[in-house]
Amino acid sequence: MKKLLVFASSLFVGSLACLAGSMESPVKESGPLTYVNPYIGSGGHGHVFLGASVPFGGVQVGPTNFDQGWDWTSGYHYSDDVVTGFTMLHLNGTGCGDLSEILLMPYMGKLSTNRGTREDPDKGFSSRYSHDKEVARPGYYALMLDDGIKAELSATERVGMMRYTFPKNEEAHIVIDLKVGIDNPTETYLKQIDEYTIGGYRFSSGWASDQREYFVMKFSQPIRSFKLFDDENPKQGNELKARNVKGVISYDKAPDQVQIKVAISPVSIANAIGNMNAELKHWDFEKVVQDANAKWNSELGRIAIKGKNETDKRIFYTALYHSMITPSLYNDHNGDYRGTDKKVYEDPGFTNYTLFSLWDTYRAEHPLLTIIEPERVSDMVASMLMIYKQQGKLPIWHLRGNETNTMVGYSAVPVVIDAYFKGFKVDANLAWEAVKSSSMRDDGGLKWLKEVGYIPADKEGEAVAKAMEYAISDWAIAEMAKSLGKKDDYENYTKRSMSYKTYFDKDTQFMRGKMSDGSWRTPFDPLHSSHRANDYCEGNAWQYTWLVPQDPEGLIALFGGEEPFIKKLDQLFAFQGSMGDDASPDISGLIGMYAHGNEPGHQTIYLYAYAGQQWKTAEKARLIFKDMYKNDPNGLSGNEDCGQMSAWYILSSLGIYQVNPVNGCFVFGSPLFDEATIKLPGGKTFTFIAENNAPENIYIQSVELNGQAYTKSYITYKQIMSGGTLTFKMGDKPNKAFGAAKEDRPKSIMYN
């Protein structure tokens, strides 16, 4: 077996991909797009999507490897060297696998509908490859297969475009394989519509239990030979419905090039045709790439950064790119989409979205979008509220018209309420109905929370994690109730939001499971973690003890004051030990017991500011920038998780982070760049300036807002969106007085 060439990270500093011969983008790039390195996170446990797309697009066209487990959840892993085809839909950075489906693959030689195997791809149509003959850009992907075929990919919002360049005068084929996917097909269909066009659908069951994808493919060359197969069994005719339909277009002598446009629809083949007619009537592949590049530059250009370190710029703009892949469009050009109830909804008057990884993204991704993508926020919230109407609760983890119920909490709640308080167009009555109904169910331990005020560990798995996530959302519901004049609801949800205190053991100073008789679960080991089989979810007591972004002051009081609180928080970053053989692989990116590779800890370093020691937040932020984000395939410390890992970096590198996901308060950390300017609605801008910035000058000495002295260790959403300039004056020694006064610290109140 050919060994994979492993490139040192230094190769990625000056070059985004190793190019050989004609392996380069057909369109010259410019602007912030040139800094993006899509390979970041494609190795290790990053699980990122690699391929071509447009910002928040409905298709993600890219290469697919044989599925080899957890690190292949996006369909591709940098360690691999066998491609089995190019597929239309991919996940980005998730911990569970699905999609990587509607596969096309060009190949030479005898006709075959078998992929071969990972160990012996030559037995089928799969191919080996090497990274020195691969190009990955946000709007363009290219790969030279070992048999000499060059495959190039690009995309519009709902249409993927492929260009295959063949060796001359040889027998060649293009297979359409509807069996392939990380999930399992339940019914598939192909039909040759005319001399240039093939339509079909793929229904499947996996993480998304009832997924339905319709498509149409249009070829630039006439389809002279098209054969249909039920898996390996040939069938007569020009259309076939079965579980594992495959089709093969064959050429006795391959044309120099074949271009293919593939439009996707959640509704019908007819709507897929409509999408193609609306978005991509022409055959100019270079124009598709050029248009995709322009869309990426427009979105990436919403933040302009200046700094001396080119590697930091690459990491930043790659993070911004990763934050703009999902949520993704889930409707047709005419507005139609399929709901979670499987009914087709005509244009509802907003753009419908899917891929809501909310347990992850409510923490930083969605707060980031309220600043840099404000025109999309109302549509995303409207999408969530429609999901509520269709399934009776807000989305938990929504995947292409399916509720997966993955992870704990009802984490759409803070996203909806944050948008409401920040002044986005939100149907307040429907939003209130949705957040209250979603929080008053009986599943997930809520029955016990309503009856006894906490979730007993002997009655419900992951009890501590569930209750602490609920408490965060309940604080948000209480504040919305208050704004709507609902006094009883305000009092009820405020009480529920404080239920986290039930789990704090003053003797051990950890959050731990409490039994139905009121006793602590024993034995107790704060290090122990069993993947979703203990009181925590992908974590242990060391990590979950700090998950109180809605009430840091209350958490400080539980510890007995600021001094013991800070002492324990310091220990988090120093303590080491085994979490057990069954610990979740998601607990990664460790600094002591702090796990940056998983989301429940993402607010933790900012808690120092609530105790008056903002300078320690600055120290930890710079350490995380340095150790947890790299410009190479293993450049992420954990799953990208649909933009959350990157959103943390984007906000934190600007010098801010919204700890409470709803209250509009962005706590200061340590700005990484000399200057960063955000484009805001109405022609406004907000600029972050770090004077005397340097790798050793990590501490904030003082701050000015619009030229005036500013003593707070936070800034509000309203202040940012009003436009202006925030100037940090940096130094190599902490100014321990900055943000120390109680009136200058962030608080658990609404700032919107």
PDB file of all heavy atoms in Angstrom, residues 369-402:
ATOM      1  N   LEU A 369     -22.688  35.473  14.881  1.00  0.00           N
ATOM      2  CA  LEU A 369     -23.520  35.782  13.725  1.00  0.00           C
ATOM      3  C   LEU A 369     -24.377  37.019  13.958  1.00  0.00           C
ATOM      4  O   LEU A 369     -24.694  37.744  13.013  1.00  0.00           O
ATOM      5  CB  LEU A 369     -24.400  34.584  13.369  1.00  0.00           C
ATOM      6  CG  LEU A 369     -23.668  33.318  12.901  1.00  0.00           C
ATOM      7  CD1 LEU A 369     -24.661  32.214  12.580  1.00  0.00           C
ATOM      8  CD2 LEU A 369     -22.764  33.589  11.712  1.00  0.00           C
ATOM      9  N   THR A 370     -24.761  37.284  15.211  1.00  0.00           N
ATOM     10  CA  THR A 370     -25.556  38.494  15.472  1.00  0.00           C
ATOM     11  C   THR A 370     -24.758  39.760  15.190  1.00  0.00           C
ATOM     12  O   THR A 370     -25.337  40.831  14.987  1.00  0.00           O
ATOM     13  CB  THR A 370     -26.068  38.539  16.925  1.00  0.00           C
ATOM     14  OG1 THR A 370     -24.968  38.642  17.845  1.00  0.00           O
ATOM     15  CG2 THR A 370     -26.920  37.325  17.250  1.00  0.00           C
ATOM     16  N   ILE A 371     -23.432  39.648  15.149  1.00  0.00           N
ATOM     17  CA  ILE A 371     -22.576  40.800  14.843  1.00  0.00           C
ATOM     18  C   ILE A 371     -22.218  40.858  13.366  1.00  0.00           C
ATOM     19  O   ILE A 371     -22.363  41.896  12.721  1.00  0.00           O
ATOM     20  CB  ILE A 371     -21.287  40.760  15.689  1.00  0.00           C
ATOM     21  CG1 ILE A 371     -21.617  40.843  17.185  1.00  0.00           C
ATOM     22  CG2 ILE A 371     -20.352  41.905  15.295  1.00  0.00           C
ATOM     23  CD1 ILE A 371     -20.412  40.659  18.081  1.00  0.00           C
ATOM     24  N   ILE A 372     -21.763  39.730  12.808  1.00  0.00           N
ATOM     25  CA  ILE A 372     -21.204  39.773  11.451  1.00  0.00           C
ATOM     26  C   ILE A 372     -22.177  39.311  10.368  1.00  0.00           C
ATOM     27  O   ILE A 372     -21.936  39.556   9.188  1.00  0.00           O
ATOM     28  CB  ILE A 372     -19.901  38.953  11.356  1.00  0.00           C
ATOM     29  CG1 ILE A 372     -20.168  37.456  11.572  1.00  0.00           C
ATOM     30  CG2 ILE A 372     -18.866  39.471  12.332  1.00  0.00           C
ATOM     31  CD1 ILE A 372     -18.960  36.584  11.245  1.00  0.00           C
ATOM     32  N   GLU A 373     -23.279  38.655  10.736  1.00  0.00           N
ATOM     33  CA  GLU A 373     -24.263  38.197   9.748  1.00  0.00           C
ATOM     34  C   GLU A 373     -25.675  38.567  10.197  1.00  0.00           C
ATOM     35  O   GLU A 373     -26.579  37.721  10.217  1.00  0.00           O
ATOM     36  CB  GLU A 373     -24.166  36.670   9.564  1.00  0.00           C
ATOM     37  CG  GLU A 373     -22.863  36.190   8.969  1.00  0.00           C
ATOM     38  CD  GLU A 373     -22.754  36.433   7.471  1.00  0.00           C
ATOM     39  OE1 GLU A 373     -23.792  36.739   6.847  1.00  0.00           O
ATOM     40  OE2 GLU A 373     -21.642  36.330   6.934  1.00  0.00           O
ATOM     41  N   PRO A 374     -25.898  39.823  10.561  1.00  0.00           N
ATOM     42  CA  PRO A 374     -27.208  40.165  11.144  1.00  0.00           C
ATOM     43  C   PRO A 374     -28.384  39.931  10.204  1.00  0.00           C
ATOM     44  O   PRO A 374     -29.493  39.645  10.666  1.00  0.00           O
ATOM     45  CB  PRO A 374     -27.051  41.658  11.493  1.00  0.00           C
ATOM     46  CG  PRO A 374     -25.951  42.157  10.618  1.00  0.00           C
ATOM     47  CD  PRO A 374     -25.006  40.999  10.481  1.00  0.00           C
ATOM     48  N   GLU A 375     -28.154  40.016   8.885  1.00  0.00           N
ATOM     49  CA  GLU A 375     -29.263  39.826   7.956  1.00  0.00           C
ATOM     50  C   GLU A 375     -29.719  38.370   7.882  1.00  0.00           C
ATOM     51  O   GLU A 375     -30.816  38.086   7.381  1.00  0.00           O
ATOM     52  CB  GLU A 375     -28.883  40.321   6.548  1.00  0.00           C
ATOM     53  CG  GLU A 375     -27.833  39.486   5.831  1.00  0.00           C
ATOM     54  CD  GLU A 375     -26.401  39.781   6.234  1.00  0.00           C
ATOM     55  OE1 GLU A 375     -26.194  40.547   7.200  1.00  0.00           O
ATOM     56  OE2 GLU A 375     -25.486  39.247   5.588  1.00  0.00           O
ATOM     57  N   ARG A 376     -28.938  37.440   8.391  1.00  0.00           N
ATOM     58  CA  ARG A 376     -29.322  36.026   8.370  1.00  0.00           C
ATOM     59  C   ARG A 376     -29.979  35.573   9.681  1.00  0.00           C
ATOM     60  O   ARG A 376     -30.644  34.531   9.710  1.00  0.00           O
ATOM     61  CB  ARG A 376     -28.098  35.147   8.109  1.00  0.00           C
ATOM     62  CG  ARG A 376     -27.415  35.382   6.774  1.00  0.00           C
ATOM     63  CD  ARG A 376     -26.247  34.419   6.577  1.00  0.00           C
ATOM     64  NE  ARG A 376     -25.415  34.784   5.438  1.00  0.00           N
ATOM     65  CZ  ARG A 376     -25.590  34.343   4.199  1.00  0.00           C
ATOM     66  NH1 ARG A 376     -26.571  33.493   3.951  1.00  0.00           N
ATOM     67  NH2 ARG A 376     -24.796  34.731   3.222  1.00  0.00           N
ATOM     68  N   VAL A 377     -29.773  36.317  10.755  1.00  0.00           N
ATOM     69  CA  VAL A 377     -30.180  35.849  12.083  1.00  0.00           C
ATOM     70  C   VAL A 377     -31.689  35.657  12.182  1.00  0.00           C
ATOM     71  O   VAL A 377     -32.167  34.632  12.689  1.00  0.00           O
ATOM     72  CB  VAL A 377     -29.673  36.813  13.169  1.00  0.00           C
ATOM     73  CG1 VAL A 377     -30.276  36.465  14.524  1.00  0.00           C
ATOM     74  CG2 VAL A 377     -28.152  36.768  13.245  1.00  0.00           C
ATOM     75  N   SER A 378     -32.462  36.629  11.703  1.00  0.00           N
ATOM     76  CA  SER A 378     -33.919  36.509  11.805  1.00  0.00           C
ATOM     77  C   SER A 378     -34.431  35.287  11.063  1.00  0.00           C
ATOM     78  O   SER A 378     -35.362  34.601  11.530  1.00  0.00           O
ATOM     79  CB  SER A 378     -34.592  37.772  11.262  1.00  0.00           C
ATOM     80  OG  SER A 378     -34.298  38.880  12.086  1.00  0.00           O
ATOM     81  N   ASP A 379     -33.842  34.983   9.898  1.00  0.00           N
ATOM     82  CA  ASP A 379     -34.255  33.808   9.136  1.00  0.00           C
ATOM     83  C   ASP A 379     -33.898  32.518   9.866  1.00  0.00           C
ATOM     84  O   ASP A 379     -34.673  31.543   9.833  1.00  0.00           O
ATOM     85  CB  ASP A 379     -33.608  33.815   7.754  1.00  0.00           C
ATOM     86  CG  ASP A 379     -34.231  34.859   6.828  1.00  0.00           C
ATOM     87  OD1 ASP A 379     -35.298  35.401   7.170  1.00  0.00           O
ATOM     88  OD2 ASP A 379     -33.650  35.136   5.764  1.00  0.00           O
ATOM     89  N   MET A 380     -32.738  32.486  10.503  1.00  0.00           N
ATOM     90  CA  MET A 380     -32.362  31.294  11.266  1.00  0.00           C
ATOM     91  C   MET A 380     -33.317  31.071  12.430  1.00  0.00           C
ATOM     92  O   MET A 380     -33.742  29.938  12.699  1.00  0.00           O
ATOM     93  CB  MET A 380     -30.922  31.407  11.749  1.00  0.00           C
ATOM     94  CG  MET A 380     -29.893  31.322  10.630  1.00  0.00           C
ATOM     95  SD  MET A 380     -28.202  31.485  11.231  1.00  0.00           S
ATOM     96  CE  MET A 380     -27.296  31.447   9.661  1.00  0.00           C
ATOM     97  N   VAL A 381     -33.670  32.149  13.118  1.00  0.00           N
ATOM     98  CA  VAL A 381     -34.623  32.030  14.226  1.00  0.00           C
ATOM     99  C   VAL A 381     -36.002  31.633  13.708  1.00  0.00           C
ATOM    100  O   VAL A 381     -36.678  30.779  14.301  1.00  0.00           O
ATOM    101  CB  VAL A 381     -34.682  33.345  15.021  1.00  0.00           C
ATOM    102  CG1 VAL A 381     -35.833  33.325  16.021  1.00  0.00           C
ATOM    103  CG2 VAL A 381     -33.362  33.580  15.750  1.00  0.00           C
ATOM    104  N   ALA A 382     -36.424  32.227  12.590  1.00  0.00           N
ATOM    105  CA  ALA A 382     -37.713  31.845  12.000  1.00  0.00           C
ATOM    106  C   ALA A 382     -37.721  30.369  11.625  1.00  0.00           C
ATOM    107  O   ALA A 382     -38.743  29.674  11.789  1.00  0.00           O
ATOM    108  CB  ALA A 382     -38.004  32.714  10.776  1.00  0.00           C
ATOM    109  N   SER A 383     -36.583  29.864  11.132  1.00  0.00           N
ATOM    110  CA  SER A 383     -36.470  28.433  10.808  1.00  0.00           C
ATOM    111  C   SER A 383     -36.677  27.589  12.057  1.00  0.00           C
ATOM    112  O   SER A 383     -37.377  26.563  12.031  1.00  0.00           O
ATOM    113  CB  SER A 383     -35.105  28.137  10.191  1.00  0.00           C
ATOM    114  OG  SER A 383     -34.891  28.879   9.010  1.00  0.00           O
ATOM    115  N   MET A 384     -36.075  28.004  13.169  1.00  0.00           N
ATOM    116  CA  MET A 384     -36.218  27.253  14.422  1.00  0.00           C
ATOM    117  C   MET A 384     -37.660  27.286  14.926  1.00  0.00           C
ATOM    118  O   MET A 384     -38.176  26.275  15.423  1.00  0.00           O
ATOM    119  CB  MET A 384     -35.282  27.831  15.485  1.00  0.00           C
ATOM    120  CG  MET A 384     -33.808  27.679  15.172  1.00  0.00           C
ATOM    121  SD  MET A 384     -32.789  28.416  16.471  1.00  0.00           S
ATOM    122  CE  MET A 384     -31.203  28.507  15.619  1.00  0.00           C
ATOM    123  N   LEU A 385     -38.307  28.430  14.784  1.00  0.00           N
ATOM    124  CA  LEU A 385     -39.690  28.535  15.250  1.00  0.00           C
ATOM    125  C   LEU A 385     -40.630  27.699  14.389  1.00  0.00           C
ATOM    126  O   LEU A 385     -41.615  27.121  14.898  1.00  0.00           O
ATOM    127  CB  LEU A 385     -40.132  29.995  15.268  1.00  0.00           C
ATOM    128  CG  LEU A 385     -39.400  30.884  16.289  1.00  0.00           C
ATOM    129  CD1 LEU A 385     -39.876  32.326  16.178  1.00  0.00           C
ATOM    130  CD2 LEU A 385     -39.597  30.369  17.708  1.00  0.00           C
ATOM    131  N   MET A 386     -40.352  27.595  13.094  1.00  0.00           N
ATOM    132  CA  MET A 386     -41.156  26.710  12.245  1.00  0.00           C
ATOM    133  C   MET A 386     -40.929  25.250  12.611  1.00  0.00           C
ATOM    134  O   MET A 386     -41.854  24.437  12.578  1.00  0.00           O
ATOM    135  CB  MET A 386     -40.829  26.963  10.775  1.00  0.00           C
ATOM    136  CG  MET A 386     -41.478  28.213  10.203  1.00  0.00           C
ATOM    137  SD  MET A 386     -43.293  28.164  10.260  1.00  0.00           S
ATOM    138  CE  MET A 386     -43.637  26.887   9.054  1.00  0.00           C
ATOM    139  N   ILE A 387     -39.702  24.903  12.948  1.00  0.00           N
ATOM    140  CA  ILE A 387     -39.431  23.539  13.407  1.00  0.00           C
ATOM    141  C   ILE A 387     -40.250  23.253  14.659  1.00  0.00           C
ATOM    142  O   ILE A 387     -40.825  22.162  14.812  1.00  0.00           O
ATOM    143  CB  ILE A 387     -37.924  23.341  13.665  1.00  0.00           C
ATOM    144  CG1 ILE A 387     -37.152  23.383  12.341  1.00  0.00           C
ATOM    145  CG2 ILE A 387     -37.655  22.025  14.392  1.00  0.00           C
ATOM    146  CD1 ILE A 387     -35.646  23.474  12.507  1.00  0.00           C
ATOM    147  N   TYR A 388     -40.322  24.221  15.550  1.00  0.00           N
ATOM    148  CA  TYR A 388     -41.162  24.053  16.749  1.00  0.00           C
ATOM    149  C   TYR A 388     -42.605  23.762  16.362  1.00  0.00           C
ATOM    150  O   TYR A 388     -43.250  22.844  16.913  1.00  0.00           O
ATOM    151  CB  TYR A 388     -41.100  25.307  17.627  1.00  0.00           C
ATOM    152  CG  TYR A 388     -42.290  25.417  18.545  1.00  0.00           C
ATOM    153  CD1 TYR A 388     -42.426  24.556  19.645  1.00  0.00           C
ATOM    154  CD2 TYR A 388     -43.313  26.332  18.284  1.00  0.00           C
ATOM    155  CE1 TYR A 388     -43.547  24.628  20.466  1.00  0.00           C
ATOM    156  CE2 TYR A 388     -44.434  26.406  19.107  1.00  0.00           C
ATOM    157  CZ  TYR A 388     -44.550  25.558  20.194  1.00  0.00           C
ATOM    158  OH  TYR A 388     -45.653  25.605  21.002  1.00  0.00           O
ATOM    159  N   LYS A 389     -43.154  24.513  15.415  1.00  0.00           N
ATOM    160  CA  LYS A 389     -44.542  24.312  15.018  1.00  0.00           C
ATOM    161  C   LYS A 389     -44.749  22.933  14.404  1.00  0.00           C
ATOM    162  O   LYS A 389     -45.825  22.340  14.548  1.00  0.00           O
ATOM    163  CB  LYS A 389     -44.957  25.402  14.023  1.00  0.00           C
ATOM    164  CG  LYS A 389     -45.037  26.796  14.643  1.00  0.00           C
ATOM    165  CD  LYS A 389     -45.410  27.854  13.630  1.00  0.00           C
ATOM    166  CE  LYS A 389     -46.849  27.747  13.207  1.00  0.00           C
ATOM    167  NZ  LYS A 389     -47.254  28.887  12.318  1.00  0.00           N
ATOM    168  N   GLN A 390     -43.720  22.404  13.753  1.00  0.00           N
ATOM    169  CA  GLN A 390     -43.839  21.115  13.068  1.00  0.00           C
ATOM    170  C   GLN A 390     -43.639  19.921  14.004  1.00  0.00           C
ATOM    171  O   GLN A 390     -44.227  18.862  13.790  1.00  0.00           O
ATOM    172  CB  GLN A 390     -42.820  21.045  11.927  1.00  0.00           C
ATOM    173  CG  GLN A 390     -43.101  22.028  10.806  1.00  0.00           C
ATOM    174  CD  GLN A 390     -41.875  22.362   9.982  1.00  0.00           C
ATOM    175  OE1 GLN A 390     -40.835  21.706  10.111  1.00  0.00           O
ATOM    176  NE2 GLN A 390     -41.959  23.391   9.159  1.00  0.00           N
ATOM    177  N   GLN A 391     -42.790  20.073  15.031  1.00  0.00           N
ATOM    178  CA  GLN A 391     -42.488  18.912  15.873  1.00  0.00           C
ATOM    179  C   GLN A 391     -42.840  19.103  17.349  1.00  0.00           C
ATOM    180  O   GLN A 391     -42.638  18.202  18.159  1.00  0.00           O
ATOM    181  CB  GLN A 391     -41.010  18.534  15.749  1.00  0.00           C
ATOM    182  CG  GLN A 391     -40.036  19.552  16.323  1.00  0.00           C
ATOM    183  CD  GLN A 391     -38.582  19.131  16.143  1.00  0.00           C
ATOM    184  OE1 GLN A 391     -38.232  18.387  15.229  1.00  0.00           O
ATOM    185  NE2 GLN A 391     -37.716  19.596  17.030  1.00  0.00           N
ATOM    186  N   GLY A 392     -43.357  20.276  17.699  1.00  0.00           N
ATOM    187  CA  GLY A 392     -43.801  20.495  19.067  1.00  0.00           C
ATOM    188  C   GLY A 392     -42.724  20.914  20.044  1.00  0.00           C
ATOM    189  O   GLY A 392     -43.005  21.071  21.236  1.00  0.00           O
ATOM    190  N   LYS A 393     -41.511  21.113  19.564  1.00  0.00           N
ATOM    191  CA  LYS A 393     -40.432  21.624  20.410  1.00  0.00           C
ATOM    192  C   LYS A 393     -39.399  22.276  19.505  1.00  0.00           C
ATOM    193  O   LYS A 393     -39.312  21.967  18.300  1.00  0.00           O
ATOM    194  CB  LYS A 393     -39.788  20.509  21.232  1.00  0.00           C
ATOM    195  CG  LYS A 393     -39.092  19.437  20.399  1.00  0.00           C
ATOM    196  CD  LYS A 393     -38.478  18.353  21.290  1.00  0.00           C
ATOM    197  CE  LYS A 393     -37.790  17.275  20.444  1.00  0.00           C
ATOM    198  NZ  LYS A 393     -37.231  16.189  21.279  1.00  0.00           N
ATOM    199  N   LEU A 394     -38.623  23.168  20.080  1.00  0.00           N
ATOM    200  CA  LEU A 394     -37.549  23.789  19.319  1.00  0.00           C
ATOM    201  C   LEU A 394     -36.501  22.742  18.962  1.00  0.00           C
ATOM    202  O   LEU A 394     -36.384  21.714  19.635  1.00  0.00           O
ATOM    203  CB  LEU A 394     -36.917  24.918  20.136  1.00  0.00           C
ATOM    204  CG  LEU A 394     -37.740  26.204  20.237  1.00  0.00           C
ATOM    205  CD1 LEU A 394     -37.186  27.100  21.331  1.00  0.00           C
ATOM    206  CD2 LEU A 394     -37.758  26.941  18.896  1.00  0.00           C
ATOM    207  N   PRO A 395     -35.736  22.982  17.899  1.00  0.00           N
ATOM    208  CA  PRO A 395     -34.742  21.979  17.503  1.00  0.00           C
ATOM    209  C   PRO A 395     -33.708  21.739  18.595  1.00  0.00           C
ATOM    210  O   PRO A 395     -33.288  22.666  19.295  1.00  0.00           O
ATOM    211  CB  PRO A 395     -34.100  22.610  16.247  1.00  0.00           C
ATOM    212  CG  PRO A 395     -34.372  24.080  16.375  1.00  0.00           C
ATOM    213  CD  PRO A 395     -35.702  24.177  17.043  1.00  0.00           C
ATOM    214  N   ILE A 396     -33.310  20.490  18.702  1.00  0.00           N
ATOM    215  CA  ILE A 396     -32.210  20.111  19.593  1.00  0.00           C
ATOM    216  C   ILE A 396     -30.928  20.014  18.759  1.00  0.00           C
ATOM    217  O   ILE A 396     -29.942  20.687  19.021  1.00  0.00           O
ATOM    218  CB  ILE A 396     -32.494  18.769  20.290  1.00  0.00           C
ATOM    219  CG1 ILE A 396     -33.841  18.825  21.044  1.00  0.00           C
ATOM    220  CG2 ILE A 396     -31.342  18.397  21.229  1.00  0.00           C
ATOM    221  CD1 ILE A 396     -33.887  19.813  22.187  1.00  0.00           C
ATOM    222  N   TRP A 397     -30.952  19.152  17.754  1.00  0.00           N
ATOM    223  CA  TRP A 397     -29.869  19.053  16.751  1.00  0.00           C
ATOM    224  C   TRP A 397     -30.563  18.706  15.436  1.00  0.00           C
ATOM    225  O   TRP A 397     -30.933  17.572  15.193  1.00  0.00           O
ATOM    226  CB  TRP A 397     -28.864  17.975  17.133  1.00  0.00           C
ATOM    227  CG  TRP A 397     -27.443  18.215  16.676  1.00  0.00           C
ATOM    228  CD1 TRP A 397     -26.342  18.322  17.474  1.00  0.00           C
ATOM    229  CD2 TRP A 397     -26.958  18.353  15.317  1.00  0.00           C
ATOM    230  NE1 TRP A 397     -25.207  18.536  16.715  1.00  0.00           N
ATOM    231  CE2 TRP A 397     -25.548  18.567  15.393  1.00  0.00           C
ATOM    232  CE3 TRP A 397     -27.541  18.352  14.062  1.00  0.00           C
ATOM    233  CZ2 TRP A 397     -24.743  18.751  14.255  1.00  0.00           C
ATOM    234  CZ3 TRP A 397     -26.764  18.551  12.926  1.00  0.00           C
ATOM    235  CH2 TRP A 397     -25.372  18.743  13.038  1.00  0.00           C
ATOM    236  N   HIS A 398     -30.762  19.723  14.612  1.00  0.00           N
ATOM    237  CA  HIS A 398     -31.580  19.572  13.407  1.00  0.00           C
ATOM    238  C   HIS A 398     -30.698  19.268  12.206  1.00  0.00           C
ATOM    239  O   HIS A 398     -29.745  19.988  11.922  1.00  0.00           O
ATOM    240  CB  HIS A 398     -32.355  20.868  13.164  1.00  0.00           C
ATOM    241  CG  HIS A 398     -33.357  20.769  12.057  1.00  0.00           C
ATOM    242  ND1 HIS A 398     -33.143  21.292  10.811  1.00  0.00           N
ATOM    243  CD2 HIS A 398     -34.585  20.202  12.013  1.00  0.00           C
ATOM    244  CE1 HIS A 398     -34.206  21.063  10.040  1.00  0.00           C
ATOM    245  NE2 HIS A 398     -35.086  20.403  10.747  1.00  0.00           N
ATOM    246  N   LEU A 399     -31.044  18.187  11.489  1.00  0.00           N
ATOM    247  CA  LEU A 399     -30.238  17.730  10.359  1.00  0.00           C
ATOM    248  C   LEU A 399     -31.125  17.432   9.159  1.00  0.00           C
ATOM    249  O   LEU A 399     -31.824  16.431   9.110  1.00  0.00           O
ATOM    250  CB  LEU A 399     -29.450  16.477  10.768  1.00  0.00           C
ATOM    251  CG  LEU A 399     -28.644  15.747   9.685  1.00  0.00           C
ATOM    252  CD1 LEU A 399     -27.682  16.695   8.991  1.00  0.00           C
ATOM    253  CD2 LEU A 399     -27.890  14.573  10.292  1.00  0.00           C
ATOM    254  N   ARG A 400     -31.169  18.355   8.223  1.00  0.00           N
ATOM    255  CA  ARG A 400     -31.837  18.189   6.943  1.00  0.00           C
ATOM    256  C   ARG A 400     -33.250  17.616   7.102  1.00  0.00           C
ATOM    257  O   ARG A 400     -33.569  16.537   6.625  1.00  0.00           O
ATOM    258  CB  ARG A 400     -30.997  17.356   5.990  1.00  0.00           C
ATOM    259  CG  ARG A 400     -29.629  17.999   5.711  1.00  0.00           C
ATOM    260  CD  ARG A 400     -28.934  17.406   4.513  1.00  0.00           C
ATOM    261  NE  ARG A 400     -29.604  17.709   3.261  1.00  0.00           N
ATOM    262  CZ  ARG A 400     -29.525  18.862   2.588  1.00  0.00           C
ATOM    263  NH1 ARG A 400     -28.793  19.856   3.062  1.00  0.00           N
ATOM    264  NH2 ARG A 400     -30.169  19.029   1.447  1.00  0.00           N
ATOM    265  N   GLY A 401     -34.083  18.379   7.812  1.00  0.00           N
ATOM    266  CA  GLY A 401     -35.475  17.999   7.984  1.00  0.00           C
ATOM    267  C   GLY A 401     -35.712  16.934   9.021  1.00  0.00           C
ATOM    268  O   GLY A 401     -36.812  16.373   9.066  1.00  0.00           O
ATOM    269  N   ASN A 402     -34.728  16.667   9.866  1.00  0.00           N
ATOM    270  CA  ASN A 402     -34.849  15.629  10.886  1.00  0.00           C
ATOM    271  C   ASN A 402     -34.383  16.144  12.241  1.00  0.00           C
ATOM    272  O   ASN A 402     -33.380  16.861  12.321  1.00  0.00           O
ATOM    273  CB  ASN A 402     -34.004  14.407  10.519  1.00  0.00           C
ATOM    274  CG  ASN A 402     -34.563  13.628   9.354  1.00  0.00           C
ATOM    275  OD1 ASN A 402     -35.243  12.625   9.532  1.00  0.00           O
ATOM    276  ND2 ASN A 402     -34.286  14.085   8.146  1.00  0.00           N
TER     277      ASN A 402
END
